[in-house]
Amino acid sequence: AQRRARLEAALERVPPKLRRAWALWASDEFTYDEIAAKLRVPRGTVATWVSRIRRLALASAAPQPDC
């Protein structure tokens, strides 16, 4: 539950277009090319956005040290 909350909080901090790209990619319904066309950005931009958010998601899901 805490991991999910951290992930949701982290995703709220990214710009809306990045969140939209992530949602489309994570749904497994759209390819990078389809997302690029839908968001009107280059395919490489979509790949970069998804990569950034994947790293953010992994970091958010990692166990947090108790302070």
Side-chain angles (χ1 to χ4, degrees), residues 20-56:
R20 179 88 170 119
W22 170 258
L24 293 170
W25 179 82
S27 72
D28 286 330
E29 294 182 25
F30 296 94
T31 66
Y32 283 179
D33 290 326
E34 291 168 331
I35 296 168
K38 191 175 223 32
L39 299 180
R40 298 183 179 165
V41 297
R43 181 191 188 284
T45 299
V46 172
T48 298
W49 289 352
V50 169
S51 176
R52 285 181 186 163
I53 295 178
R54 285 176 66 191
R55 283 195 309 266
L56 176 67

Side-chain angles (χ1 to χ4, degrees), residues 4-26:
R4 184 171 180 82
R6 285 194 308 265
L7 174 59
E8 288 174 3
L11 288 175
E12 287 178 11
R13 292 190 300 266
V14 300
K17 263 195 173 177
L18 274 75
R19 277 197 309 267
R20 179 88 170 119
W22 170 258
L24 293 170
W25 179 82

